């Protein structure tokens, strides 16, 4: 049975991705900083899914948190840190916390698990379109999402022959943040005439994990927004 770990899989997009893999029969582990929330999500998804507490913002604790994940085929790290932070009103504490979680935490998770990868194991790290299209308050978000590109490229060499890719979504129309917002930004600008969906993101995640020719790649999921 395929083993899939979804870090940040306790709600929203992460839960949709975890459910996608559970529905195809994978043994799925979902994580949250809060153990009860992770376990509640696992129970909602159903048999074959379990929840663990994992805090990417405290990288020194990741090894212990993942101690009983003994073998893994797929690692998906979706956790985000998107608090607004601009140079005009710069919050150093928030900036350090966000970069630590997104870059150090991501890297440490892969480092901890690399010796437990099954043959053919692969990794998908989540960034975001802010690396290409900054917006007001995105100083740190744009920076760490761009950092995901660099992290993926070096990890592809360091964990070879295992593959690692990045998925950079634009706004997701049916996500908890945007589904109840009338006329969300960019929806009229995309060539497809709408924002992408969580199901489409989950499908793209599976493609990156499954396709053995894709490695060290940045996949932009934006409905074609970058072409406009």
């Amino acid at each position: 049975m395929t083993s899939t770990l979804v870090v940040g899989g306790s709600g929203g997009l992460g839960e949709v991705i975890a459910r996608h893999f559970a529905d195809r029969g994978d043994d799925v582990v979902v994580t949250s900083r809060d153990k009860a929330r992770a376990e509640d999500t696992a129970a909602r998804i159903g048999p074959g899914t379990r929840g663990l507490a994992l805090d990417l913002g405290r990288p020194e604790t990741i090894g212990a948190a993942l101690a009983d994940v003994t073998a893994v085929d797929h690692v998906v790290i979706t956790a985000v840190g998107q608090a607004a932070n601009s140079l005009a009103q710069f919050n150093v504490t928030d900036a350090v916390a966000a970069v630590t979680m997104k870059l150090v935490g991501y890297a440490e998770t892969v480092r901890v698990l690399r010796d437990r990868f099954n043959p053919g194991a692969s990794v998908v790290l989540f960034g975001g379109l802010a690396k290409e299209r900054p917006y007001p308050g995105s100083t740190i978000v744009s920076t760490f999402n761009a950092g995901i590109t660099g992290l993926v490229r070096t990890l592809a060499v360091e964990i070879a022959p295992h593959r690692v890719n990045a998925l950079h979504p634009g706004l997701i129309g049916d996500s908890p943040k945007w589904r109840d917002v009338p006329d969300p930004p960019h929806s009229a600008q995309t060539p497809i005439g709408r924002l992408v969906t969580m199901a489409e993101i989950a499908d793209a995640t599976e493609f990156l994990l499954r396709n053995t020719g894709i490695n060290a790649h940045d996949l932009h999921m934006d409905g074609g927004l970058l072409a406009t």
Side-chain angles (χ1 to χ4, degrees), residues 57-69:
R58 300 176 60 207
E60 70 280 3
T61 69
I62 291 174
L66 294 175
D68 67 344
V69 178

Side-chain angles (χ1 to χ4, degrees), residues 145-156:
N145 283 340
I148 290 294
T149 295
L151 181 58
V152 159
R153 289 178 180 175
T154 189
L155 288 180

Side-chain angles (χ1 to χ4, degrees), residues 174-197:
D174 60 346
S175 66
K177 182 176 181 178
W178 296 108
R179 63 191 173 203
D180 297 322
V181 176
D183 301 319
H186 303 161
S187 55
Q189 294 174 253
T190 64
I192 63 173
R194 60 172 176 82
L195 301 179
V196 298
T197 67

Side-chain angles (χ1 to χ4, degrees), residues 7 13 17 76-82 101-103 106 123-133 135 140-152 164-172 201 205 208 217-221:
V7 177
L13 177 61
I17 291 171
V76 182
I77 310 182
T78 69
V80 298
Q82 292 186 334
M101 185 207 76
K102 192 75 177 186
L103 297 181
Y106 274 38
V123 177
V124 170
L125 307 181
F126 269 66
L129 211 64
K131 79 184 187 73
E132 304 292 335
R133 287 202 170 187
Y135 54 85
I140 296 301
V141 175
S142 294
T143 299
F144 64 55
N145 283 340
I148 290 294
T149 295
L151 181 58
V152 159
V164 56
N165 293 286
L167 202 160
H168 298 276
L171 301 187
I172 303 171
I201 299 295
T205 303
L208 291 174
H217 183 75
D218 282 306
L219 178 61
H220 299 113
M221 284 287 294

